[in-house]
Amino acid sequence: MLALIAGTGRLPHEVAGRLKARPLICALHGSEPDYIDAELVFRLEHLGSFIERLKAADVTEICMAGAVERPHIDPAAIDAATLPLVPILQTALGQGDDGALRAVIQIFEKSGFTVRAAHNVAPDLLLAEGVLTSVQPGEIDKADAARGAEVVTAMAAADVGQSCAIRNRQAIAIEGQFGTQWMLNSLAMRPDGEGGLLYKAPKPGQERRADLPTIGPDTVEQVAQAALSGIVIEAGGVIVLERDAVVDACDRLGLFLWVRQV
């Protein structure tokens, strides 16, 4: 049996809808899913007990999907089953997002679970190389995409985000802790030109079984409001929710969607 640890956003709903058998829907307290109901909500202070409940439910596989807020741990709330995990959790919460995810995955694997990525459960969430829209990227867009790849690689060292906005080979915005939507909304509120693109890709070397970057129809609308000309995502590295709706929205708004091979 598979347990889907669902965070916020549409991804958990998309993953659950592609499974032949209904998974056990779980959620971390404070990051409950928006579009499906969690059957089991747990606190990080009770992670050990949560693992025991998964085993009792005959869960053998775990998939983590959706955004999760980094929780604050209340030492007084840690239960006996979680005490042995405290050193790992303390180290994890002191690291960046990728380091924290690696530590949590390690805990699940050492407990005997197989951890599967959302795109392993639902492979069609990732797209192959190509331009999917009527509008095609031009030469300046190709140069901007190359620059975007350089910027995301540089951002990875600080673990600060997975996307940026590039115009004329200049980074006009980079994703921080508030996410892509906040970054694009900030551009829309301070219009200083038109053109350029949103570049989105996983961090080089990141743990890909959780927290892959994602776009959906809302992203397209936000890109248009930011006066950008298109979206570039890394082939095989960015989850696309509602693919047909994304392409239709790009065509309607005159944007390109380029799935770029790195």
Side-chain angles (χ1 to χ4, degrees):
M1 182 178 183
L2 183 138
L4 178 63
I5 301 179
T8 59
R10 294 197 62 88
L11 180 58
H13 179 267
E14 295 270 337
V15 171
R18 286 166 165 80
L19 294 171
K20 293 180 180 179
R22 178 175 173 81
L24 175 65
I25 308 296
C26 308
L28 179 65
H29 177 69
S31 295
E32 289 87 347
D34 310 291
Y35 298 95
I36 54 176
D37 294 326
E39 303 163 60
L40 180 57
V41 178
F42 67 98
R43 296 174 61 94
L44 197 59
E45 294 94 337
H46 302 161
L47 180 59
S49 298
F50 171 64
I51 288 173
E52 291 176 356
R53 294 181 70 179
L54 293 181
K55 290 180 177 179
D58 295 325
V59 169
T60 58
E61 298 180 313
I62 290 173
C63 176
M64 293 184 285
V68 174
E69 292 290 330
R70 184 173 293 219
H72 169 73
I73 293 182
D74 178 4
I78 297 172
D79 63 18
T82 308
L83 279 174
L85 305 176
V86 168
I88 299 174
L89 293 174
Q90 286 179 326
T91 300
L93 292 175
Q95 298 173 342
D97 290 343
D98 192 55
L101 285 171
R102 288 179 189 273
V104 171
I105 288 173
Q106 181 185 43
I107 288 173
F108 284 131
E109 289 182 326
K110 286 186 174 181
S111 299
F113 300 104
T114 298
V115 180
R116 302 180 64 191
H119 56 274
N120 293 144
V121 173
D124 62 330
L125 290 171
L126 299 182
L127 303 183
E129 178 184 13
V131 178
L132 306 183
T133 48
S134 300
V135 175
Q136 301 288 306
E139 291 305 313
I140 186 61
D141 300 314
K142 294 176 183 178
D144 282 350
R147 181 59 174 165
E150 294 171 354
V151 171
V152 168
T153 297
M155 290 164 59
D159 196 23
V160 295
Q162 300 166 305
S163 69
C164 58
I166 304 292
R167 179 181 294 146
N168 295 324
R169 287 190 52 80
Q170 297 295 315
I172 57 175
I174 61 172
E175 179 189 353
Q177 65 177 5
F178 300 116
T180 304
Q181 179 178 346
W182 189 93
M183 178 188 75
L184 292 171
N185 287 344
S186 71
L187 285 176
M189 289 187 292
R190 53 177 178 84
D192 57 0
E194 295 183 351
L197 53 84
L198 169 68
Y199 182 88
K200 204 168 182 72
K203 302 163 190 170
Q206 82 168 63
E207 170 58 69
R208 294 196 173 205
R209 284 176 289 179
D211 196 36
L212 271 191
T214 302
I215 67 167
D218 290 345
T219 312
V220 179
E221 299 288 344
Q222 292 153 11
V223 165
Q225 292 167 8
L228 300 174
S229 297
I231 302 169
V232 181
I233 61 175
E234 180 181 310
V238 176
I239 290 172
V240 179
L241 303 176
E242 301 180 63
R243 170 183 172 169
D244 291 343
V246 166
V247 174
D248 289 345
C250 284
D251 285 339
R252 172 172 53 84
L253 294 168
L255 305 176
F256 62 80
L257 173 59
W258 177 16
V259 186
R260 180 178 179 267
Q261 187 66 52
V262 177

